[in-house]
Amino acid sequence: MNLALRDIRHNLGRFLLTCLGLGLLLGVALAMVGIYGGVVEEALSLARGLRADLWVVEGGSRGPFAEASRVPGDVREAVARLPGVTAAGSLTFQTVEARHAGGPGSGDLPSEELVRERAGEAGRQRIGAVLRLQVVGYEPDRPGGPPGILEGRGIGRGRLEMVLDRSAGVPLGATVEMANIRYRVVGFSTRTVSTGGDPLAWITLRDSQDLQFRLNPPAARRAQQGGGGALPQDTVNAVIARLSPHADPAAVAAEIRRWKHFAALTAAEQEQVLTRSVVDRARKQLGLFTTVLLLVSAVIVALIIYTLTMDKMREIATLKLIGAPDATIVALVMQQAMLLGAVSFAGGAALLLAVKDNFPRRVVLGPEEIAGFGLLVFVICLAASLLGVRYALRVEPAQALGG
């Protein structure tokens, strides 16, 4: 006879209600593990999606994701001529707030005068949905484009076209406006976001240079009156290179570092910069929050098991009175703790897996993460049951005869 199961059936409602509360808490803790993995995956998605073996950036910087970097566009040709390099491409990166006017054939976006008129006293209201995007400029016939086209087509040689990540929620063929320039969405990519979770937008290098480096008319007039000018158009943020299978990335990077005013990072070094610098604080924050939730879960399980053990004080005393060994008492308490943890974990994990795709940030939960978390919950429940075991072993058989 399994005493733990019989006791649970006797108080099934209370047990299930306890499992529900603990399951929600464990589900939140598991969500933190998934969000932690999602932050790391999002940080690396662009760098890995570009399939770059080498990054050439401004000297003294650690790349376009961690610091500002500007290099002349013709560096691409010098990189392409290096031994072991099979292809090279120039890239620009910038974060912008854009607006879109709806679906295909929706017409032009509202004029700025209409925007101000409809804004009224608020003064800041915008017409059209506001999108926060990271814009990547690349040359369509060179490395640096979207890792895959989910729907529609890629960018041709024409200008003012855009490939957008599907998470932006913009329909195919919609018009997107950035800095008073309108682009047509011609294709969708998927799972391509910035380190901050913003959808990626891919446009031609020439369009991105106009968007990033050109001065607006008033600023251009001021620059001309002051004897200055706009930044050169042939400026990019980085040059990426793909190497032959037999080339040594570290050796090619060392060759580039000998050039004046340039730095080079291998793919592994770029990923290290992203995970240990760009998203390091977010990783630590999520890790700390997950640890706190697990400690809270351990305390709650310990209190629950201790309370359940106290409620069975007379039953435990009776078992001792009729000669039941201590191992039977210990098994009763520990089995209840294991069942409580197993049911709660299963419920919390099932709920999270059902809703994780609705989270605003990516939640990455594979079999390894779920199995590892389940093992941790097992250890927590086993350790938490020791408080109840200690109480059960101190119960005197004579208490079964009390009033």
Side-chain angles (χ1 to χ4, degrees), residues 43-55:
L44 300 176
S45 64
L46 176 55
R48 290 177 175 175
L50 295 174
R51 304 189 304 278
D53 299 310
L54 207 63
W55 293 76

Side-chain angles (χ1 to χ4, degrees), residues 145-220:
I149 301 298
L150 181 67
E151 185 180 348
R153 61 175 175 85
I155 295 176
R157 293 189 177 273
R159 299 186 60 185
L160 302 182
E161 293 183 343
M162 173 186 293
V163 172
L164 192 60
D165 186 75
R166 181 177 285 279
S167 63
V170 176
L172 191 66
T175 299
V176 175
E177 181 186 273
M178 298 184 296
N180 297 321
I181 304 176
R182 291 176 172 83
Y183 302 84
R184 184 68 62 181
V185 179
V186 297
F188 287 135
S189 63
T190 183
R191 292 189 174 275
T192 49
V193 296
S194 69
T195 56
D198 299 323
L200 289 181
W202 310 80
I203 61 178
T204 65
L205 180 66
R206 180 67 182 276
D207 286 341
S208 69
Q209 287 174 328
D210 288 344
L211 183 66
Q212 183 172 4
F213 300 121
R214 74 183 180 93
L215 295 176
N216 58 35

